[in-house]
Amino acid sequence: MSETVLGILASGRGSNMQVILDNINAGQLHATIGIVISDHANAKVLELAAAAGIPAVCIERKNFGSKQEFEAAIASEIVNHEVQLVVLAGFMRILSRYFIGLFPGRIMNIHPSLLPAFPGLNAHDQAITYGAKISGCTIHFVDEGVDTGPIIMQSAVEVLADDTPDSLSARIIKVEHALYSKAIGLYCEKRLCITGRNVKIIEG
Ligand code: GRF
């Protein structure tokens, strides 16, 4: 079976991208990273990709007259690199209906809470402020809302009484790292079946 080509969109640190790459290199995830795209020139994810010899580009919103032109530039990199699955890994922009329509059922995101609780920015802070005892992470397909698309996998993490956003984030990110490659692997094996809001995982 040929390997699924991933296109990773990330705005910052890139730890999820690095773990996906490590799992590919370890033979645990049968995929290749065709391109890494960041909207920030100084994002660490670009350094990590360059160090690994992966094609990486910076596409900044400020260089385009409209959001659609900006997204069209991203889409063209994705198409040119024959990407099959777009993986959002800390990409801090809301994608438009136009962009999502170009890749239906082919964009995944990871969010550091148990959706539908605490969508959007500052999910760890939201969970602590709300007084939640459990949070975690969610991997979902992307639709036109903010963190609203069909849920693929979730994993729970306890919120401790003395947690700060940083301490909770440090525990949730470990779970994110373990889960994202699993979800991507299921996609690569064509084992994710979307029906409306429901994602069924087909037995392997
Ligand atoms: C992760 O917490 C992810 O859930 C959120 O952004 C963060 C990205 O972290 N969407 P990293 O850049 O992968 O280290």
Side-chain angles (χ1 to χ4, degrees):
M1 196 168 66
S2 64
E3 284 174 344
T4 302
V5 181
L6 312 178
I8 299 191
L9 271 57
S11 298
R13 175 176 65 172
S15 72
N16 276 291
M17 188 288 291
Q18 184 66 53
V19 171
I20 291 165
L21 177 62
D22 292 346
N23 286 333
I24 290 172
N25 289 339
Q28 285 161 3
L29 176 60
H30 301 291
T32 58
I33 300 177
I35 181 81
V36 171
I37 302 170
S38 181
D39 60 331
H40 285 295
N42 56 2
K44 182 154 181 244
V45 72
L46 290 173
E47 284 173 37
L48 295 173
I54 293 169
V57 290
C58 172
I59 301 177
E60 291 181 285
R61 173 66 182 88
K62 67 177 186 197
N63 295 330
F64 298 88
S66 69
K67 178 167 179 167
Q68 184 154 334
E69 288 170 89
F70 165 67
E71 290 185 342
I74 295 174
S76 117
E77 290 288 345
I78 288 170
V79 171
N80 290 344
H81 287 86
E82 300 183 348
V83 165
Q84 292 158 286
L85 178 66
V86 178
V87 175
L88 307 185
F91 189 63
M92 301 302 288
R93 287 184 180 273
I94 296 166
L95 295 165
S96 72
R97 177 187 294 260
Y98 153 75
F99 184 89
I100 292 161
L102 296 175
F103 309 104
R106 291 169 53 205
I107 310 175
M108 249 184 219
N109 183 41
I110 188 160
H111 181 76
S113 75
L114 293 179
L115 293 170
F118 316 128
L121 294 174
N122 305 319
H124 312 98
D125 194 22
Q126 288 188 58
I128 292 168
T129 303
Y130 195 85
K133 303 296 186 200
I134 304 275
S135 192
C137 75
T138 302
I139 296 161
H140 62 94
F141 284 111
V142 173
D143 68 6
E144 285 147 21
V146 176
D147 300 322
T148 54
I151 291 171
I152 302 166
M153 299 179 95
Q154 295 186 297
S155 194
V157 171
E158 192 177 356
V159 182
L160 304 177
D162 58 353
D163 258 331
T164 62
D166 282 350
S167 66
L168 180 58
S169 166
R171 293 201 309 288
I172 290 179
I173 196 81
K174 290 183 188 163
V175 178
E176 292 186 39
H177 291 163
L179 211 60
Y180 215 178
S181 291
K182 280 188 192 162
I184 293 167
L186 290 169
Y187 182 92
C188 296
E189 292 169 16
K190 303 199 186 324
R191 289 172 57 199
L192 298 178
C193 178
I194 312 175
T195 311
R197 282 212 53 82
N198 290 294
V199 180
K200 186 175 168 194
I201 299 177
I202 298 162
E203 292 293 317

Short mmCIF file of all heavy atoms in Angstrom, two decimals, residues 12-17 89-90 109-112 124 173 176, ligand 1:
data_model
loop_
_atom_site.label_atom_id
_atom_site.label_comp_id
_atom_site.label_asym_id
_atom_site.label_seq_id
_atom_site.Cartn_x
_atom_site.Cartn_y
_atom_site.Cartn_z
N GLY A 12 3.38 27.18 15.57
CA GLY A 12 4.35 27.46 16.65
C GLY A 12 5.37 26.39 16.90
O GLY A 12 6.15 26.01 16.03
N ARG A 13 5.30 25.84 18.11
CA ARG A 13 6.32 24.97 18.69
C ARG A 13 6.57 23.70 17.90
O ARG A 13 7.70 23.23 17.78
CB ARG A 13 5.82 24.67 20.10
CG ARG A 13 6.54 23.74 20.94
CD ARG A 13 5.88 23.69 22.30
NE ARG A 13 4.53 23.13 22.26
CZ ARG A 13 3.81 22.85 23.33
NH1 ARG A 13 4.29 23.10 24.54
NH2 ARG A 13 2.61 22.33 23.19
N GLY A 14 5.52 23.08 17.41
CA GLY A 14 5.69 21.93 16.53
C GLY A 14 5.94 20.61 17.21
O GLY A 14 6.42 19.66 16.57
N SER A 15 5.57 20.47 18.49
CA SER A 15 5.86 19.19 19.15
C SER A 15 5.01 18.07 18.57
O SER A 15 5.48 16.93 18.44
CB SER A 15 5.70 19.30 20.66
OG SER A 15 4.35 19.39 21.04
N ASN A 16 3.77 18.36 18.20
CA ASN A 16 2.95 17.30 17.57
C ASN A 16 3.55 16.89 16.22
O ASN A 16 3.61 15.71 15.90
CB ASN A 16 1.50 17.76 17.41
CG ASN A 16 0.68 17.54 18.66
OD1 ASN A 16 0.40 16.41 19.02
ND2 ASN A 16 0.34 18.62 19.36
N MET A 17 3.99 17.86 15.44
CA MET A 17 4.62 17.55 14.15
C MET A 17 5.84 16.65 14.37
O MET A 17 6.02 15.65 13.68
CB MET A 17 5.03 18.84 13.44
CG MET A 17 5.52 18.68 12.02
SD MET A 17 7.13 17.93 11.76
CE MET A 17 8.21 19.20 12.40
N ALA A 89 -1.84 21.10 13.36
CA ALA A 89 -1.12 20.79 14.61
C ALA A 89 -0.72 22.11 15.26
O ALA A 89 0.40 22.59 15.09
CB ALA A 89 0.09 19.91 14.32
N GLY A 90 -1.69 22.71 15.93
CA GLY A 90 -1.44 24.02 16.52
C GLY A 90 -1.44 25.12 15.47
O GLY A 90 -0.63 26.05 15.55
N ASN A 109 -7.87 17.99 13.04
CA ASN A 109 -7.34 18.94 14.01
C ASN A 109 -7.20 18.26 15.37
O ASN A 109 -7.92 17.29 15.66
CB ASN A 109 -8.29 20.14 14.14
CG ASN A 109 -7.77 21.20 15.08
OD1 ASN A 109 -6.57 21.52 15.07
ND2 ASN A 109 -8.63 21.76 15.91
N ILE A 110 -6.31 18.78 16.19
CA ILE A 110 -6.22 18.33 17.58
C ILE A 110 -6.48 19.52 18.48
O ILE A 110 -6.00 20.63 18.22
CB ILE A 110 -4.87 17.66 17.87
CG1 ILE A 110 -4.89 17.02 19.27
CG2 ILE A 110 -3.70 18.62 17.73
CD1 ILE A 110 -3.83 15.96 19.46
N HIS A 111 -7.26 19.28 19.53
CA HIS A 111 -7.62 20.37 20.44
C HIS A 111 -7.43 19.88 21.88
O HIS A 111 -7.84 18.77 22.21
CB HIS A 111 -9.09 20.78 20.21
CG HIS A 111 -9.50 21.90 21.09
ND1 HIS A 111 -9.13 23.21 20.85
CD2 HIS A 111 -10.22 21.92 22.24
CE1 HIS A 111 -9.62 23.99 21.81
NE2 HIS A 111 -10.28 23.23 22.66
N PRO A 112 -6.84 20.74 22.73
CA PRO A 112 -6.52 20.27 24.09
C PRO A 112 -7.66 20.40 25.10
O PRO A 112 -7.50 21.01 26.17
CB PRO A 112 -5.32 21.15 24.47
CG PRO A 112 -5.57 22.43 23.74
CD PRO A 112 -6.28 22.06 22.46
N HIS A 124 -6.99 25.18 28.24
CA HIS A 124 -6.58 24.72 29.58
C HIS A 124 -7.08 25.69 30.65
O HIS A 124 -7.58 25.27 31.69
CB HIS A 124 -5.05 24.60 29.66
CG HIS A 124 -4.44 23.86 28.52
ND1 HIS A 124 -3.89 24.50 27.43
CD2 HIS A 124 -4.32 22.54 28.28
CE1 HIS A 124 -3.44 23.60 26.58
NE2 HIS A 124 -3.69 22.40 27.06
N ILE A 173 -0.47 17.47 26.73
CA ILE A 173 0.31 17.36 25.48
C ILE A 173 0.88 15.94 25.31
O ILE A 173 0.98 15.43 24.19
CB ILE A 173 1.43 18.43 25.41
CG1 ILE A 173 1.95 18.57 23.97
CG2 ILE A 173 2.58 18.13 26.33
CD1 ILE A 173 1.15 19.40 23.06
N GLU A 176 -1.84 14.03 23.80
CA GLU A 176 -1.99 14.46 22.40
C GLU A 176 -0.99 13.72 21.52
O GLU A 176 -1.32 13.22 20.44
CB GLU A 176 -1.71 15.96 22.27
CG GLU A 176 -2.73 16.85 22.91
CD GLU A 176 -2.47 18.33 22.59
OE1 GLU A 176 -2.09 18.64 21.46
OE2 GLU A 176 -2.65 19.16 23.49
C1 GRF B 1 -1.52 21.63 21.04
O1 GRF B 1 -1.87 21.73 22.39
C2 GRF B 1 -2.74 21.42 20.19
O2 GRF B 1 -3.74 20.68 20.83
C3 GRF B 1 -3.23 22.82 19.97
O3 GRF B 1 -2.07 23.58 19.80
C4 GRF B 1 -0.99 22.96 20.51
C5 GRF B 1 0.13 22.78 19.54
O4 GRF B 1 1.30 22.35 20.17
N1 GRF B 1 -4.14 22.88 18.85
P1 GRF B 1 2.58 21.94 19.30
O5 GRF B 1 2.89 23.13 18.39
O6 GRF B 1 2.24 20.72 18.51
O7 GRF B 1 3.66 21.71 20.29
#
